[in-house]
């Protein structure tokens, strides 16, 4: 069975990270789950692996409210990155905020795959992953 | 055959008479042939006898005016004609023409004499007289014209050559005849001169005026001299003068009426500041009588604080640097209180452009001033309220953000984990999850406590404000942070241009604590930490600055998040991301604001603007 190679979970909430890892492991659709507790760490990792496509994520679940570099700051930097040709990365904003101003900001990034509001259950995760899997 | 008759005085009486005649005469028969002439004719004309007898010559142009008259055979008397003679060019002859009747035929005779000398005298006289007036008539008491002298004929175009012998009245319009006749009678009776100015006496040109003068040249003869002089130009000048005078009188009248009845205060002021005249309105405004005012100078009434400006402006007018000015000044009422006057001052100039006196116009604007300051005050309160509301909105927005992220975030994680709980069978994993769940619950509680504090701050705007001595507070804080100070060998520099701030003391302490604590925390290991605390005044509000030479912040990256809840920017430093959030909230609660300037690797400066106006306006309300 096909698996998604790399999923990045960027969130400073340890409980959230734990729950997501549990779900991914149970679904057995992902090879590697990478945990980043702020945007800066995730960004630096991607930057360092621009020439190693196998290390780059296929899916990024991005929290908004984080220290050092929040989700929006991450996105501003991320969209400028020269990704290897043909490399598809789906980035979902995953936040607890239903605030209108946050939704508006998400629209500033057309490359976003979606805006998800916490809490999200196993089914939503499954849906996202299935969409990503090669048919 | 025509028989010429040269009357020889020796032959007969007729010849003797003819020879004795001083006037020359020439006689022609009915056919125009010369039939007689006398020696005087030859003498006057200086022509030889054959030429005199030559009828054809008389018909030629060489015979001149006299020749023409001989051909025309008209009766006339005393024509003055010009005749060129061999010995005398421009000779004037006085000529009379008469038809001669015998029993059988009709002849024609002209008599003539040389009147050149007489005419020259007459012409000089004429010139002299006509230089005096336009027309001079000498006439008899019944109006027959004896002589006419005329100067300029531009206006009175009369056939003056023909006027002699005619009645003067035939040249006058009817309306004038009676008047002139009456005047003539007066002059004849009294012998005194009469002068009248008449409008268009000949009824020809409505725009002309004449002065008519009647006088008797002497008591012995019965003639009257009538002179007519064109006075249109004089009259026009006169009319214009009259008009100008009327206008002047009008404008004086207008000024007087404005001065007397204007609701605006008006006064005339000498260059030394003496009141020269003051209108009722101004007297009423200032409470003085005119007599009292005239005994005062303007400088005694102007408020001492306004006097320098007033004297400077009056000096500029006196030196003719300016022609007028407007100003607002306080004038002392007779009762002692001051009135705000809006005034305009202008210079009244002499013909040589020096300043004669000052014209001062003033209105009492005390009431307007009052309304204006009321409006300003209300406006300030309104502005302050608006600023306050904007701050409150920002605070609410921020609280909303905290709820969305810092409460909903961990809460949603707990919900997810509760859902997941039954699926986790491994005890160790259960323990890990429970540990994280507890942390999330703690975080929620922690955030709730912070929110409670924030709301408490906002609810306590009624905290007592006192005069807080900044130096005192800073020094106290510095000693409480002694451990860090000593550890890092930190230096403190103070410069207070404003020594105290009216503020809630615990809040001010909290603000200063966080700023100084941050400055002591985010230091660069390679430099001695130097912290500068300064205060000054800027646009009516006190500014507090805390400046350090620490690590600084990349404001491009983090600027907007700097004061947000639980934001961290520097790894490896003890921080919960709440301090700056809390103090901004406190500052905003009282309408102030906080700003930052920073450069990575050089240091940061935090500026607190204490908006005192809001506090004051709140007390007003």
């Amino acid at each position: 069975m096909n698996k998604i190679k790399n999923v990045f979970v960027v969130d400073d909430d340890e409980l959230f990270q734990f729950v997501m890892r549990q779900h991914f492991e149970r679904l057995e659709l992902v090879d590697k789950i990478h945990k980043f507790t702020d945007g800066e760490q995730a960004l630096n990792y991607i930057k360092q692996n621009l020439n190693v496509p196998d290390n780059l994520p296929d899916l990024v679940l991005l929290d908004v409210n984080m220290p050092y570099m929040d989700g929006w700051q991450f996105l501003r930097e991320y969209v400028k990155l020269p990704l290897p040709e043909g490399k598809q990365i789906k980035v979902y904003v995953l936040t607890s905020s239903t605030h209108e101003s946050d939704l508006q900001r998400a629209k500033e990034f057309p490359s976003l795959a979606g805006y998800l509001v916490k809490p999200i259950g196993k089914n939503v995760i499954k849906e996202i992953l299935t969409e990503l899997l090669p048919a | 055959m025509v028989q010429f008759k040269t009357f020889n005085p020796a032959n007969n009486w007729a010849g003797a008479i003819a020879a004795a005649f001083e006037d020359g005469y020439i006689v022609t028969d009915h056919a125009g042939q010369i039939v007689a002439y006398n020696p005087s004719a030859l003498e006057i004309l200086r022509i030889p006898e054959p030429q005199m007898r030559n009828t054809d010559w008389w018909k030629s142009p060489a015979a001149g005016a006299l020749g023409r008259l001989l051909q025309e055979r008209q009766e006339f008397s005393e024509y003055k004609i010009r005749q060129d003679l061999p010995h005398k060019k421009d000779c004037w002859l006085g000529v009379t023409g008469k038809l001669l009747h015998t029993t059988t035929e009709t002849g024609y005779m002209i008599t003539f004499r040389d009147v050149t000398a007489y005419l020259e005298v007459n012409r000089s006289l004429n010139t002299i007289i006509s230089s005096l007036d336009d027309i001079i008539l000498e006439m008899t008491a019944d109006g027959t014209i004896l002589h006419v002298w005329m100067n300029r004929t531009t206006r009175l175009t009369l056939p003056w050559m023909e006027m002699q012998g005619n009645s003067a009245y035939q040249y006058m319009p009817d309306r004038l005849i009676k008047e002139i006749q009456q005047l003539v009678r007066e002059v004849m009776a009294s012998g005194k001169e009469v002068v009248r100015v008449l409008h268009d006496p000949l009824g020809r040109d409505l725009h002309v005026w004449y002065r008519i003068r009647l006088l008797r040249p002497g008591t012995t003869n019965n003639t009257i001299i009538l002179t007519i002089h064109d006075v249109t130009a004089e009259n026009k000048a006169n009319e214009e003068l009259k008009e100008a005078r009327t206008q002047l009188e009008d404008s004086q009248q207008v000024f007087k009426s404005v001065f007397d009845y204007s609701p605006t205060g008006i006064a005339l002021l000498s260059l030394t500041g003496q009141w020269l005249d003051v209108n009722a309105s101004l007297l009423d405004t200032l409470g003085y009588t005119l007599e009292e005012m005239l005994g005062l100078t303007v400088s005694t009434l102007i408020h001492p604080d306004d006097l320098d400006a007033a004297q400077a402006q009056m000096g500029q007018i006196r030196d003719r640097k300016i022609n007028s000015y407007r100003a607002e000044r306080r004038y002392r009422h007779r009762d002692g209180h001051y009135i705000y006057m809006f005034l305009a001052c202008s210079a009244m100039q002499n013909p040589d452009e020096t300043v004669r006196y000052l014209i001062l116009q003033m209105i009492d604007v005390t009431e307007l001033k009052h309304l204006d300051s009321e409006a300003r005050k209300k406006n300030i309160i309104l502005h302050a309220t608006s600023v306050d509301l904007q701050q409150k909105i920002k605070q609410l927005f921020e609280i909303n953000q905290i709820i969305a992220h810092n409460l909903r975030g961990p809460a949603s994680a707990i919900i997810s984990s509760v859902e997941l709980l039954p699926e986790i069978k491994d005890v160790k994993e259960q323990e890990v999850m429970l540990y994280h769940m507890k942390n999330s619950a703690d975080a929620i509680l922690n955030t709730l406590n912070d929110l409670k504090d924030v709301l408490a701050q906002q609810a306590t705007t009624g905290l007592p404000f006192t005069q807080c001595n900044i130096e005192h507070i800073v020094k106290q804080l510095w000693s409480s942070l002694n451990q860090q100070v000593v550890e890092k060998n930190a230096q403190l520099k103070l410069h207070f241009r404003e020594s105290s701030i009216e503020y809630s003391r615990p809040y001010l302490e909290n603000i200063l604590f966080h700023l100084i604590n941050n400055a002591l925390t985010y230091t660069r290991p390679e430099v001695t930490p130097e912290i500068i605390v300064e205060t000054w005044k800027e646009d009516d509000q006190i500014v507090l600055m805390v400046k350090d030479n620490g690590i600084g912040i990349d404001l491009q990256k983090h600027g907007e998040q700097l004061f947000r809840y639980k934001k961290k920017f520097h790894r490896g430093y003890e921080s919960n991301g709440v301090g700056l959030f809390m103090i901004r909230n406190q500052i905003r609660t009282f309408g102030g604001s906080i700003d930052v300037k920073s450069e990575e690797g050089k240091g940061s400066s935090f500026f607190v603007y204490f908006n005192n106006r809001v506090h004051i306006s709140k007390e007003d309300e």
Side-chain angles (χ1 to χ4, degrees):
Chain A
M1 193 182 173
N2 274 325
K3 278 196 179 180
I4 296 158
K5 215 168 255 165
N6 293 307
V7 171
F8 286 14
V9 179
V10 190
D11 201 313
D12 62 331
D13 189 325
E14 292 288 350
L15 181 61
F16 179 77
Q17 288 278 2
F18 178 85
V19 172
M20 292 311 276
R21 180 171 289 271
Q22 290 291 330
H23 283 310
F24 283 126
E25 281 172 4
R26 263 154 244 277
L27 286 166
E28 294 184 327
L29 291 169
V30 178
D31 259 351
K32 263 189 178 172
I33 303 146
H34 297 256
K35 169 186 161 189
F36 300 97
T37 52
D38 62 74
E40 197 173 50
Q41 288 181 28
L43 189 73
N44 286 340
Y45 185 90
I46 294 173
K47 274 181 181 170
Q48 281 156 20
N49 289 284
L50 279 171
N51 296 321
V52 196
D54 279 355
N55 287 352
L56 291 176
D58 303 290
L59 173 66
V60 178
L61 298 179
L62 180 69
D63 184 24
V64 169
N65 195 42
M66 291 178 290
Y68 310 118
M69 179 184 271
D70 70 10
W72 305 127
Q73 284 174 303
F74 169 86
L75 278 170
R76 273 203 292 275
E77 299 299 318
Y78 167 79
V79 293
K80 290 187 245 170
L81 292 179
L83 294 173
E85 211 163 313
K87 179 67 194 173
Q88 294 281 331
I89 302 178
K90 287 213 165 185
V91 182
Y92 285 89
V93 164
L94 190 48
T95 172
S96 56
S97 170
T98 51
H99 214 267
E100 179 60 27
S101 64
D102 286 319
L103 282 163
Q104 282 301 324
R105 275 183 103 167
K107 286 180 185 161
E108 289 170 25
F109 301 97
S111 60
L112 273 179
Y115 184 97
L116 304 170
V117 179
K118 295 176 186 176
I120 56 167
K122 198 164 52 179
N123 295 338
V124 177
I125 297 166
K126 195 177 175 182
E127 218 170 285
I128 292 168
L129 294 177
T130 319
E131 233 174 82
L132 267 172
L133 283 172
Chain B
M1 190 61 201
V2 176
Q3 192 66 52
F4 284 98
K5 295 202 169 86
T6 41
F7 297 101
N8 189 333
N11 285 353
N12 51 47
W13 283 111
I17 292 166
F21 242 66
E22 265 187 46
D23 285 10
Y25 66 76
I26 299 169
V27 181
T28 57
D29 63 8
H30 70 280
Q33 294 284 339
I34 307 286
V35 290
Y37 52 87
N38 69 346
S40 290
L42 292 168
E43 174 69 21
I44 292 165
L45 299 175
R46 295 275 181 96
I47 53 172
E49 284 215 46
Q51 198 175 320
M52 174 67 90
R53 291 180 191 164
N54 185 345
T55 305
D56 288 339
W57 181 82
W58 280 109
K59 288 179 182 168
S60 75
L66 205 58
R68 275 201 308 281
L69 290 172
L70 263 180
Q71 309 310 316
E72 285 169 8
R73 296 168 71 91
Q74 295 293 318
E75 284 205 315
F76 56 86
S77 93
E78 274 302 312
Y79 271 15
K80 306 287 187 298
I81 63 163
R82 213 186 71 187
Q83 186 79 3
D84 283 344
L85 298 179
H87 67 292
K88 198 176 183 184
K89 251 188 169 302
D90 272 350
C91 178
W92 285 85
L93 300 176
V95 186
T96 299
K98 286 271 184 294
L99 289 168
L100 296 179
H101 304 284
T102 66
T103 47
T104 55
E105 63 175 314
T106 300
Y108 180 66
M109 179 177 84
I110 51 171
T111 62
F112 53 91
R113 61 194 138 93
D114 185 349
V115 295
T116 311
Y118 165 75
L119 269 188
E120 267 167 10
V121 170
N122 208 31
R123 201 183 291 146
S124 341
L125 188 66
N126 203 357
T127 310
I128 294 166
I129 291 169
S130 43
S131 69
L132 301 174
D133 275 297
D134 287 326
I135 300 163
I136 299 173
L137 296 174
E138 187 179 9
M139 60 186 200
T140 60
D142 65 358
T144 307
I145 296 171
L146 299 176
H147 291 100
V148 180
W149 296 274
M150 194 162 291
N151 189 5
R152 294 174 300 271
T153 52
T154 47
R155 294 206 188 275
L156 274 176
T157 45
L158 288 172
W160 60 277
M161 282 291 279
E162 296 163 18
M163 287 167 72
Q164 282 168 347
N166 291 337
S167 168
Y169 298 119
Q170 82 183 63
Y171 302 104
M172 295 179 193
D174 291 345
R175 62 189 164 91
L176 211 62
I177 294 171
K178 274 197 177 154
E179 193 174 350
I180 300 287
Q181 281 174 338
Q182 175 61 34
L183 292 176
V184 168
R185 274 196 293 277
E186 269 177 50
V187 172
M188 289 307 285
S190 68
K192 282 179 189 162
E193 185 181 318
V194 174
V195 180
R196 291 281 186 278
V197 174
L198 303 172
H199 181 219
D200 186 25
L202 301 182
R204 290 181 184 180
D205 186 343
L206 286 171
H207 300 292
V208 297
W209 290 83
Y210 286 93
R211 185 181 63 222
I212 286 182
R213 222 159 104 194
L214 288 146
L215 58 99
R216 286 181 68 180
T219 45
T220 47
N221 57 12
N222 260 350
T223 60
I224 292 257
I225 301 286
L226 168 66
T227 71
I228 303 168
H229 181 57
D230 182 349
V231 291
T232 308
E234 278 169 46
N235 218 46
K236 207 172 157 195
N238 248 336
E239 288 291 313
E240 281 169 1
L241 191 67
K242 231 187 261 177
E243 178 74 10
R245 198 170 289 154
T246 312
Q247 281 176 359
L248 187 69
E249 278 166 11
D250 279 358
S251 81
Q252 278 174 340
Q253 191 64 40
V254 167
F255 179 78
K256 189 174 158 32
S257 146
V258 168
F259 190 86
D260 288 346
Y261 304 113
S262 171
T264 305
I266 305 174
L268 305 183
L269 206 59
S270 80
L271 292 179
T272 56
Q274 203 77 37
W275 299 100
L276 301 175
D277 201 357
V278 183
N279 77 344
S281 173
L282 188 56
L283 292 171
D284 186 44
T285 306
L286 292 173
Y288 292 93
T289 66
L290 182 62
E291 290 68 31
E292 287 170 333
M293 264 309 249
L294 295 184
L296 295 169
T297 62
V298 69
S299 47
T300 57
L301 295 183
I302 296 175
H303 192 284
D305 292 350
D306 295 345
L307 195 54
D308 285 348
Q311 281 172 341
Q313 283 182 313
M314 276 163 65
Q316 281 186 308
I317 284 219
R318 192 172 45 236
D319 301 341
R320 289 186 297 150
K321 286 179 182 148
I322 52 172
N323 280 326
S324 66
Y325 62 82
R326 283 154 183 246
E328 198 179 275
R329 293 203 215 300
R330 285 160 290 179
Y331 272 73
R332 203 185 65 236
H333 189 271
R334 194 172 186 274
D335 297 344
H337 66 272
Y338 280 93
I339 300 166
Y340 276 96
M341 296 292 244
F342 179 75
L343 61 90
C345 180
S346 54
M348 179 74 194
Q349 293 186 341
N350 288 314
D352 67 355
E353 292 188 351
T354 55
V355 180
R356 202 156 142 205
Y357 51 78
L358 306 177
I359 302 171
L360 208 54
Q361 297 180 66
M362 324 166 92
I363 344 173
D364 180 356
V365 291
T366 312
E367 188 61 22
L368 281 174
K369 274 300 266 199
H370 182 65
L371 286 173
D372 189 45
S373 73
E374 274 293 293
R376 270 172 215 269
K377 211 162 150 190
K378 289 262 190 278
N379 203 24
I380 288 168
I381 292 170
L382 194 66
H383 176 74
T385 310
S386 148
V387 167
D388 197 33
L389 277 174
Q390 281 169 22
Q391 301 284 56
K392 290 234 151 66
I393 289 166
K394 280 181 189 166
Q395 286 175 330
L396 280 175
F397 180 80
E398 205 152 28
I399 288 169
N400 214 347
Q401 285 283 326
I402 294 167
I403 291 168
H405 294 286
N406 303 81
L407 288 179
R408 275 190 58 104
S412 67
I414 288 172
I415 291 167
S416 298
S417 59
V418 170
E419 267 176 29
L420 185 67
L421 197 56
E423 294 180 35
I424 297 176
K425 310 292 180 208
D426 185 273
V427 179
K428 270 195 177 168
E429 282 194 333
Q430 279 181 354
E431 273 175 13
V432 173
M433 192 167 79
L434 281 172
Y435 170 76
H436 287 315
M437 283 173 84
K438 186 182 180 304
N439 280 348
S440 287
D442 283 347
I444 290 172
L445 195 64
N446 189 270
T447 301
L448 282 172
N449 280 332
D450 287 339
L451 277 182
K452 194 191 75 188
D453 286 350
V454 167
L455 292 171
Q457 279 173 12
Q458 289 179 19
T460 53
T461 51
L463 271 183
F465 268 45
T466 52
Q467 286 295 336
C468 307
N469 184 302
I470 302 197
E471 190 168 347
H472 190 69
I473 294 172
V474 172
K475 284 185 170 164
Q476 249 182 1
L477 283 168
W478 193 253
S479 55
S480 75
L481 292 162
N482 192 44
Q483 196 187 333
Q484 259 181 297
V485 170
V486 172
E487 205 174 281
K488 295 189 169 179
N489 188 28
Q491 305 295 312
L492 178 68
K493 285 189 176 176
L494 305 175
H495 184 54
F496 299 123
R497 264 168 284 186
E498 296 294 322
S499 59
S500 70
I501 299 174
E502 197 186 1
Y503 214 66
S504 156
R505 188 177 168 109
Y507 278 18
L508 186 60
E509 282 173 352
N510 194 40
I511 291 163
L512 279 163
F513 170 78
H514 280 289
L515 292 178
I516 293 170
N517 189 43
N518 280 351
L520 276 172
T521 303
Y522 301 102
T523 52
R524 282 179 291 156
E526 69 273 19
V527 293
T528 308
E530 187 183 86
I531 297 164
I532 302 167
V533 186
E534 269 188 51
T535 57
W536 64 87
K537 207 163 199 177
E538 204 174 298
D539 297 336
D540 275 359
Q541 58 179 341
I542 295 174
V543 184
L544 167 78
M545 180 188 78
V546 178
K547 183 180 182 178
D548 64 53
N549 57 351
I551 55 173
I553 312 157
D554 183 348
L555 289 176
Q556 201 103 38
K557 256 194 202 168
H558 305 297
E560 58 169 289
Q561 306 210 315
L562 194 57
F563 298 98
R564 293 272 178 81
Y565 184 63
K566 285 193 177 168
K567 293 288 178 181
K568 299 178 196 177
F569 312 101
H570 300 291
R571 294 178 203 278
Y573 290 91
E574 286 270 327
S575 164
N576 57 9
V578 179
L580 284 178
F581 163 76
M582 277 299 193
I583 65 168
R584 180 166 75 167
N585 194 66
Q586 284 179 348
I587 293 162
R588 279 184 172 176
T589 298
F590 294 116
S593 60
I594 183 165
D595 202 1
V596 65
K597 277 183 189 159
S598 186
E599 206 175 324
E600 247 186 325
K602 290 206 170 164
S604 306
S605 306
F606 286 86
F607 303 88
V608 180
Y609 297 87
F610 297 96
N611 189 349
N612 293 358
R613 284 192 307 191
V614 171
H615 174 63
I616 290 162
S617 70
K618 276 173 177 290
E619 280 186 343
D620 281 348
E621 284 164 315

